[in-house]
Amino acid sequence: MKVSGLTAALLLGATGALASATPKVGKVSYDGYKAYRIATSGKDAAAIKDKLASFAAVQFNFDTQEHLDVAIAPEEVSAFEALSLPTTIMSEDLGAEIATEGNFGVYEKNVSTSAAVPSLTWFDAYHAYADHITFFNDLAASFPQNSEIFTVGSSFQGRSIFGIHLWGSGGKGSKPAVYFHGTVHAREWITAKVVEYITYKLLVDYSTDTAVKAILDKYDFYILPFVNPDGFVYTQSTNRLWRKNRQTRSGASCVGTDVNRNWPYKWELTGGASTNPCDETYKGAAAGDTPENKALTNFTLSLANSKGIKLYIDWHSYGQYILTPYGYNCQARPANQARQNALAQGLANKIREKYGTRFTYGPACSTLYATTGDSTDYITDVAKAEFAWTIELRPGGSSSGNNGFVLPAAQILPSSVEQWEGMKYLLANV
Ligand SMILES: *[C@@H]1O[C@H](CO)[C@@H](O)[C@H](O)[C@H]1NC(C)=O
Ligand SMILES: *[C@@H]1O[C@H](CO)[C@@H](O)[C@H](O)[C@H]1NC(C)=O
Ligand SMILES: [Zn+2]
């Protein structure tokens, strides 16, 4: 989610107060929380935010021109409904949906293949972090001629930030890079599943599908499914709606920096991130000062300086957007803007062809919101990628059960398949 300029008061339920007031052993409970989409009628939502300031509400989105998505604690539901705001219900009980989502799948291999290929049942449920690591290790072990696991450095808590490198007939490291990041925002669980599906299809179909073979013979893929592993683990152990990393800082009582506001490019501008450590979009004390950004920047430059970056995608949820540069300025456009736009439109069309899912496309700042220190601006202007995009996955609309970050497990496979169809188009045409 693109997030910016939020008030700390709105976030007490999601992060600071509630999380720190809860004993470490327990999970933050969202039982009985009701999620609403409030129509803002094309206006800035400031007046509505003022009305909500006294609520312990969890705010999901900050591109509030069209709508404001919030979760309301059970004891405040009647006071909220008494405001008579124009709402639709996104979730009747967020806690119940988190509990359902938390019925993790059991990791299985495909028994009909001799290699250790993971079973497609992987895409029927969400999984524990340790199983995600097994998934990648097994895939790489099954396709040693086309893949290997690598690491780019360590997170604040010392977890390795790993990726899988895929290559085709030219041999390892011989072609321009296609570069993916997943799960920079910890609560955006669908992103790891989608990049896992794309990885799986590239490797499994390479030997039988000529279109897939052509793609993998043309590019080296560097896929990092969890660039914020500490945050992801924390969403599974403690607070499902955690977004940032888990970095502590002397003098700050709140934990976490937004890794996608900390990249060392246009970081110093105001208006696209927060300087308050308690906010969800906290940019850090200095450009690039999180361990995650240090490792990612270093690796990005090593890719840029070898074969170059053809395409970078930062996978996020939610809202169904394809966002081209730039985030830091709503008027700035890259030199190849016309190609960016044509390809983003083609990608949106291809995604929609499969199941009718609509993605909005356009330059990030003017389409959604200003962001500073984000990965796509850095990778466009500093790492000189030809294309560097943000894709915000499902859900888009506000029908009940499409409650933002907690996308029902039944939508993992269709979300993945429509993106795979889109990527086949994009990689053949980029
Ligand atoms: C197992 O692999 C076979 C052969 O590649 C494939 O057709 C089948 O769909 C796979 N099944 C599962 C459950 O992954
Ligand atoms: C930076 O990247 C290079 C090459 O990829 C690697 O050898 C080095 O260890 C990295 N340094 C840090 C601090 O991560
Ligand atoms: Zn995000």
Side-chain angles (χ1 to χ4, degrees), residues 108-114 117-124 200 204-205 208:
E108 296 172 330
K109 291 178 188 173
N110 186 334
V111 291
S112 72
T113 58
S114 53
V117 182
S119 165
L120 278 167
T121 58
W122 179 256
F123 301 99
D124 296 339
Y200 178 95
V204 172
D205 292 356
T208 54

Side-chain angles (χ1 to χ4, degrees), residues 181-407:
H181 284 181
T183 329
V184 60
H185 292 142
R187 60 195 177 186
E188 299 168 8
W189 283 13
I190 186 61
T191 65
K193 286 285 174 179
V194 167
V195 303
E196 285 162 353
Y197 189 79
I198 294 168
T199 307
Y200 178 95
K201 293 297 279 182
L202 284 167
L203 288 172
V204 172
D205 292 356
Y206 178 72
S207 59
T208 54
D209 183 325
T210 53
V212 174
K213 182 169 187 331
I215 289 168
L216 196 48
D217 286 346
K218 197 169 172 194
Y219 300 111
D220 276 60
F221 285 74
Y222 299 85
I223 297 171
L224 283 68
F226 296 97
V227 300
N228 173 15
D230 299 348
F232 183 72
V233 167
Y234 191 73
T235 63
Q236 296 202 325
S237 68
T238 309
N239 184 350
R240 176 63 185 86
L241 295 180
W242 188 260
R243 167 184 167 93
K244 299 184 281 185
N245 75 358
R246 293 293 303 160
Q247 186 169 3
T248 52
R249 294 173 183 269
S250 58
S253 58
C254 291
V255 174
T257 301
D258 186 339
V259 173
N260 201 34
R261 295 295 183 281
N262 188 245
W263 286 76
Y265 182 65
K266 305 291 181 189
W267 178 91
E268 65 287 350
L269 300 182
T270 57
S274 173
T275 53
N276 179 349
C278 296
D279 281 353
E280 294 282 35
T281 59
Y282 177 52
K283 57 158 65 176
D289 73 350
T290 72
E292 293 81 7
N293 286 87
K294 284 189 170 74
L296 294 168
T297 302
N298 183 47
F299 178 70
T300 300
L301 291 178
S302 75
L303 283 185
N305 294 332
S306 51
K307 300 285 169 193
I309 301 171
K310 180 73 178 182
L311 169 69
Y312 166 77
I313 296 177
D314 201 358
W315 295 93
H316 290 250
S317 71
Y318 60 101
Q320 295 171 197
Y321 290 98
I322 300 160
L323 300 171
T324 59
Y326 289 97
Y328 76 91
N329 181 303
C330 291
Q331 279 79 48
R333 296 286 181 268
N336 62 351
Q337 170 59 24
R339 286 252 306 140
Q340 301 254 5
N341 197 62
L343 286 167
Q345 179 181 41
L347 174 58
N349 289 342
K350 206 53 168 178
I351 293 168
R352 195 174 68 231
E353 253 174 39
K354 192 69 193 175
Y355 306 115
T357 314
R358 287 179 180 276
F359 276 66
T360 304
Y361 63 92
C365 180
S366 50
T367 303
L368 249 194
Y369 217 90
T371 54
T372 53
D374 68 78
S375 67
T376 52
D377 288 356
Y378 180 92
I379 292 174
T380 298
D381 281 0
V382 182
K384 307 287 183 202
E386 203 170 326
F387 302 94
W389 295 356
T390 297
I391 295 184
E392 299 275 358
L393 295 166
R394 293 188 189 192
S398 65
S399 52
S400 188
N402 281 344
N403 41 40
F405 304 107
V406 187
L407 186 71

Side-chain angles (χ1 to χ4, degrees), residues 88-99:
T88 50
I89 291 175
M90 294 172 69
S91 172
E92 291 285 354
D93 184 347
L94 194 52
E97 282 156 6
I98 289 171

Side-chain angles (χ1 to χ4, degrees), residues 158-173:
R159 291 187 178 83
S160 81
I161 302 172
F162 71 94
I164 187 166
H165 175 189
L166 317 181
W167 62 86
S169 59
K172 184 164 80 175

